[in-house]
Amino acid sequence: MHSDEFHQETLAEQLLDLAARSGAEAAEVFQSRSLSRPVFFEANRLKQLESAQAEGTALRLWQNGRPGLVVAYGPAEPQVLVERAIALSQLNEPEPIELAATTKQIYPDLGEAVSVDQLVEWGKTAIALVREVNPDLLCTAEWECEAETTRLINSNGLDCGYTDTTLSCYLSAEWVRGDDFLSVSDGQTQRGSLNPVTLVSQILQRLAWAQDNTQPTIGRLPILFTAKAADMLWGTVQAALSGKQVIEGASPWSDRLNQQVISEVLTLSQQPNVGPFSCPFDDEGTPTRPITFIDQGILQLFYTDRTTGRALGSGTTGNGFRPGLGSYPTPGLFNFLIQQGTKSLNELITTLDEGLVVDQMLGGGAGISGDFSINVDLGYQVKHGQIIGRVKDTMVSGNVYTALKQIIELGSDAEWNGSCYTPSLIVGGLSITGRS
């Protein structure tokens, strides 16, 4: 056992023991340790190599039913942490103690690390492939391998942990033609291996579509969101599915269980063993499980943590996650999958007699209301099933819930955008505006 692992294990047990001796009825310790090695490229050249390490410990305890939460980063003094947590608990109102039951399980590690040399090689390969097609392009890139170890232990006897190693990359190609500036970017998140050839082919395709500029057709037309852009729609859906939003009365679907809420072509789920964002247990120690939230458009279930599940009467779905070490668990999604269709992106384009392809956007998402108005950073006009050029000074507006009731087609090209696995899709019900 490495000395830092021994220190973390010793610290966790010490904190639980000291909390009990200090009069706490219950306590838990959540520990996280990460090591990342990013590789940066700028202006087509390797710029720098970095190594970043972080270690944190969160202690949550209850004394007289009152919760107290403290966090330490790096080495910590156990007695000081316990005293601070007890002092903070006196400032809070009593609450039910929500702790996972007894289980001891160290889960299998996920992913495989790769060397810095491999990251550098992937980065150089990607940039070389881009510049073979156009030597005038300026590329910026980041390739990274990150390992994060999580351990959760509590006074009920729970002890679980695992290490997750994830690979990610980002590549941007900048193209300056007189006064016209274009930046096309894309990325990957995977376990085990990254594919620079696939990444580059996606960027080169976008650059080829942008050879000519054209004016957008104004009005209500079908809009094709690429897999990269479609994530904007799903952020609103994820918020509407949160049990916390249901309790607060903010979700428009609060009273719509077992009813049709979006198009019947849509099935949305989480799969704990799928993809680079798979996860064996949540931050409360509850094992995660496969859940279909929406089945063919019909709302099946909201996701909850222990507190929210108790309030709703449904129990936890294993979705209690901490936004940060210093935060209490709250309902969250670790991965979110949209069941894909059967047509490639190019095949989807050919189905459009007239429409707009949105690939990159400026501005935030829609929020829980679903209303949005976004600037199209990278988009293309489609006529008679063909892309005829890039559009500029264009906006798309509408409502997410309305659009998802008017799904025209789903693609077969699902990709991970953060923890959301989504294909391209064509929707109706949105407006296109622009200026000449």
Side-chain angles (χ1 to χ4, degrees), residues 25-83:
E25 302 97 71
E28 70 173 8
V29 179
F30 183 88
Q31 295 179 306
S32 175
R33 185 174 69 254
S34 65
L35 173 64
S36 63
R37 294 188 173 91
V39 174
F40 297 93
F41 293 82
E42 191 174 284
N44 301 326
R45 293 182 175 85
L46 178 63
K47 181 184 179 183
Q48 66 188 49
L49 312 177
E50 290 186 1
S51 179
Q53 201 163 2
E55 178 181 324
T57 300
L59 168 66
R60 182 166 60 146
L61 55 73
W62 289 261
Q63 187 178 58
N64 299 322
R66 301 172 184 267
L69 173 66
V70 293
V71 178
Y73 296 95
E77 176 54 50
Q79 186 64 51
V80 172
L81 281 182
V82 171
E83 290 173 356

Side-chain angles (χ1 to χ4, degrees), residues 195-247:
N195 191 329
V197 175
T198 300
L199 178 63
V200 169
S201 68
Q202 293 170 324
I203 288 178
L204 292 178
Q205 176 68 84
R206 269 64 172 180
L207 289 167
W209 286 339
Q211 287 282 348
D212 300 313
N213 291 334
T214 188
Q215 293 296 319
T217 300
I218 306 305
R220 290 187 179 271
L221 292 173
I223 294 180
L224 194 165
F225 288 92
T226 65
K228 181 169 59 174
D231 185 51
M232 186 275 294
L233 303 170
W234 304 123
T236 294
V237 173
Q238 291 178 46
L241 290 171
S242 169
K244 185 175 181 181
Q245 299 285 358
V246 173
I247 289 175

Side-chain angles (χ1 to χ4, degrees), residues 147-160:
E148 182 174 8
T149 299
T150 299
R151 187 186 182 212
L152 180 63
I153 181 173
N154 70 26
S155 53
N156 280 355
L158 175 78
D159 189 352
C160 54

Side-chain angles (χ1 to χ4, degrees), residues 227-398:
K228 181 169 59 174
D231 185 51
M232 186 275 294
L233 303 170
W234 304 123
T236 294
V237 173
Q238 291 178 46
L241 290 171
S242 169
K244 185 175 181 181
Q245 299 285 358
V246 173
I247 289 175
E248 294 174 354
S251 173
W253 295 341
S254 295
D255 58 353
R256 301 291 303 279
L257 273 176
N258 301 314
Q259 296 181 34
Q260 193 94 27
V261 292
I262 53 179
S263 169
E264 62 184 14
V265 305
L266 290 170
T267 294
L268 318 177
S269 68
Q270 73 175 20
Q271 305 294 334
N273 299 318
V274 173
F277 296 93
S278 58
C279 174
F281 60 88
D282 70 3
D283 291 349
E284 297 182 298
T286 306
T288 52
R289 58 188 174 95
I291 297 174
T292 298
F293 297 111
I294 296 179
D295 187 9
Q296 297 180 10
I298 297 175
L299 178 61
Q300 305 290 317
L301 191 67
F302 299 105
Y303 60 90
T304 60
D305 61 359
R306 288 180 173 273
T307 299
T308 304
R310 175 174 45 80
L312 288 177
S314 62
T316 178
T317 60
N319 288 83
F321 291 95
R322 302 166 188 251
L325 268 182
S327 304
Y328 288 89
T330 191
L333 290 171
F334 52 93
N335 68 11
F336 189 65
L337 290 80
I338 292 83
Q339 186 172 302
Q340 56 188 340
T342 59
K343 292 183 179 178
S344 68
L345 176 59
N346 286 328
E347 288 172 333
L348 290 182
I349 293 170
T350 63
T351 67
L352 294 174
D353 183 56
E354 187 170 25
L356 181 72
V357 176
V358 176
D359 189 54
Q360 294 175 187
M361 297 167 292
L362 297 175
I368 192 69
S369 73
D371 295 323
F372 70 92
S373 182
I374 56 169
N375 289 294
V376 178
D377 181 44
L378 184 58
Y380 310 95
Q381 181 73 18
V382 179
K383 283 188 181 294
H384 308 303
Q386 298 288 327
I387 286 180
I388 62 171
R390 174 193 175 205
V391 299
K392 300 175 67 175
D393 302 320
T394 304
M395 294 187 69
V396 173
S397 59

